[in-house]
């Protein structure tokens, strides 16, 4: 179970999300290169009878990092311990976790870039030498007592690989870059989820939801549940193309899969900043969000879909963004 469950997440949704997680590498859809690389890393570790190298996964929220961590542990037949960067406020928090690991255990450290700095240093040593230095006492009399810990495999996850200090990044033997999923892959995921939820999902409805899920399995599964709600209340319970379209419109997911935050960012960029260039934090303030949220959640998809371009002078809207939002660019627009 997770040490940290985000407070806003409703428990039922969490339970469903857990139930929809693939359990094996073979069940895990898409990310073919990562899957193949990972399978090799795991096989070779098993052949040598050793714990595999530490693994870092980078990629946006909902792309399957936690799922992969669980699969890694399952494939190794090893227990899994889950914690996260924000839960580690002091190095003592990390020492407590590390010193109780059992041999071969997989430690999943989500949002690793948000761990406290002193803990980072402790983690380097633990990763390399399987040792922690526990500081006893205070002031000039303080001494560090080295403590051996069981060999373990760290699986770190981050939405911002660029935020990791190089010495930490360098201690991972393998870095898996998770990318957005193709609509065909999301369709496979949706069909599997529909089967698990026991609902009838028409092919064209699956395609429509997949196309509007921002390349993200978590969003695809969430939209599937909203379409199911709609079909159950307003229809006969079957998920048809019409119910999919109506539900997605109701939940403010537009034709291109842009949600409210995406549209708010685009709207501010176009109207308030005349298409840019504008800095990310200025843009974030004008939509009332943290810069990290805009950078991690909204921007990658807007860039990927060709609505926003990153330039050295800031973020710029593309002609496609003006068209999509039904606006006319001013004559001096950046593009
Ligand atoms: P992250 O840790 O990257 O935020 P998760 O691993 O929690 O993402 O995945 C979110 C949800 O999406 C999970 O419920 C899981 O069922 C689903 N999911 C993610 N990746 C895949 C995949 N490759 N195949 C099938 N389902 C997936």
């Amino acid at each position: 179970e997770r040490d940290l469950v985000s407070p806003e997440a409703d428990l039922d949704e969490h339970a469903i999300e857990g139930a929809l997680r693939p359990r094996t590498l073979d069940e895990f859809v898409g990310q073919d290169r990562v899957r193949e690389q990972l399978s090799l890393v795991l096989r070779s570790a098993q052949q040598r009878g050793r714990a595999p190298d530490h693994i870092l996964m980078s990629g946006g929220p909902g792309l399957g990092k936690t799922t992969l961590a669980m699969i890694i542990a399952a494939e190794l037949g090893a227990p899994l311990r889950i914690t996260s960067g924000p839960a580690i406020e002091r190095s003592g928090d990390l020492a407590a976790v590390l010193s109780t690991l059992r041999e071969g255990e997989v430690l999943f450290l989500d949002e690793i870039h948000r761990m406290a700095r002193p803990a980072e240093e402790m983690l380097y040593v633990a990763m390399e030498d399987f040792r922690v230095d526990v500081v006893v006492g205070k002031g000039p009399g303080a001494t560090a007592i080295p403590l051996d810990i069981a060999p373990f495999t760290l699986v770190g996850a981050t939405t911002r690989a660029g935020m990791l200090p190089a010495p930490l990044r360098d201690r991972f033997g393998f870095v898996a870059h998770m990318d957005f999923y193709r609509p065909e892959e999301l369709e496979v995921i949706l069909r599997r989820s529909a089967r698990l939820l026991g609902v009838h999902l028409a092919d064209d409805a699956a395609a429509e939801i997949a196309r509007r899920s921002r390349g993200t399995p978590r969003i695809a599964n969430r939209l599937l549940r909203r379409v199911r709600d709609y079909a159950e209340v307003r229809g006969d319970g079957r998920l048809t193309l019409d119910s999919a379209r109506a539900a997605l419109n109701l939940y403010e997911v537009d034709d291109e899969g842009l949600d409210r935050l995406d549209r708010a960012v685009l709207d501010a960029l176009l109207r308030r900043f005349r298409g840019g260039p504008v800095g990310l934090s200025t843009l974030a303030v004008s939509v009332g969000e943290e810069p990290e949220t805009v950078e991690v959640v909204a921007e990658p998809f807007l860039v990927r879909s060709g609505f926003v371009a990153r330039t050295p002078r800031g973020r710029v809207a593309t002609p496609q963004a003006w068209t999509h939002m039904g606006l006319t660019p001013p004559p001096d627009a950046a593009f």
Side-chain angles (χ1 to χ4, degrees), residues 6-301:
S6 66
E8 70 276 8
D10 118 30
L11 271 184
D12 186 41
E13 299 267 303
H14 252 281
I16 293 179
E17 192 165 272
L20 297 180
R21 275 185 211 286
R23 311 267 164 211
T24 63
L25 263 190
D26 286 337
E27 267 187 312
F28 192 87
V29 178
Q31 310 289 348
D32 295 346
R33 171 159 313 155
V34 165
R35 224 150 29 98
E36 197 176 336
Q37 293 167 335
L38 207 53
S39 146
L40 210 64
V41 169
L42 298 180
R43 288 268 150 70
S44 101
Q46 278 167 321
Q47 277 177 13
R48 283 177 296 128
R50 302 270 301 270
D53 266 356
H54 306 300
I55 297 166
L56 179 66
M57 296 183 296
S58 87
L63 293 182
K65 300 182 296 298
T66 306
T67 305
L68 263 191
M70 292 177 169
I71 290 175
I72 290 170
E75 299 264 335
L76 292 169
L80 176 71
R81 187 82 70 85
I82 299 183
T83 187
S84 79
I88 295 172
E89 294 172 18
R90 277 155 296 137
S91 52
D93 299 332
L94 184 63
V97 173
L98 292 172
S99 58
T100 55
L101 286 174
R102 282 169 290 168
E103 173 151 6
E105 198 158 352
V106 173
L107 174 63
F108 179 53
L109 220 171
D110 201 5
E111 297 192 78
I112 190 170
H113 62 281
R114 293 178 62 188
M115 197 170 46
R117 278 292 130 109
E120 245 162 36
E121 278 157 38
M122 174 178 277
L123 189 59
Y124 304 159
V125 180
M127 290 169 78
E128 209 155 80
D129 302 332
F130 299 114
R131 193 189 81 216
V132 289
D133 292 318
V134 182
V135 178
V136 183
K138 282 209 163 79
T143 41
I145 300 178
L147 190 75
D148 284 336
I149 55 176
F152 68 103
T153 297
L154 178 67
V155 178
T158 179
T159 47
R160 308 173 92 199
M163 289 285 293
L164 278 196
L168 180 54
R169 216 172 37 223
D170 293 347
R171 281 170 170 82
F172 287 97
F174 169 58
V175 183
H177 294 283
M178 316 271 290
D179 212 338
F180 287 117
Y181 290 67
R182 287 181 286 125
E184 310 86 81
E185 295 167 338
L186 292 175
E187 273 183 59
V188 176
I189 293 174
L190 284 164
R191 282 208 205 88
R192 173 177 177 276
S193 300
R195 210 166 49 240
L196 292 172
L197 293 173
V199 296
H200 178 271
L201 174 65
D203 285 346
D204 49 7
E208 184 74 5
I209 301 172
R211 199 171 62 73
R212 291 164 72 168
S213 296
R214 306 174 88 259
T216 307
R218 175 179 291 137
I219 296 179
N221 281 338
R222 190 193 296 150
L223 294 180
L224 177 69
R225 298 196 295 271
R226 297 295 77 82
V227 174
R228 177 206 54 190
D229 296 347
Y230 189 95
E232 280 172 0
V233 175
R234 303 265 173 99
D236 64 359
R238 297 153 78 88
L239 281 57
T240 61
L241 179 59
D242 283 345
S243 59
R245 285 195 174 139
L248 294 173
N249 293 340
L250 183 64
Y251 287 99
E252 299 180 84
V253 175
D254 76 16
D255 265 355
E256 297 282 343
L258 305 192
D259 63 16
R260 257 159 63 123
L261 176 62
D262 299 323
R263 295 179 65 88
V265 169
L266 272 192
D267 192 69
L269 177 58
L270 298 177
R271 288 180 202 264
R272 212 170 297 181
F273 303 104
R274 301 164 61 84
V278 59
L280 182 85
S281 9
T282 312
L283 195 54
V285 167
S286 79
V287 297
E289 289 288 348
E290 294 290 325
E292 181 169 344
T293 308
V294 173
E295 186 174 2
V296 166
V297 179
E299 189 184 60
F301 185 70

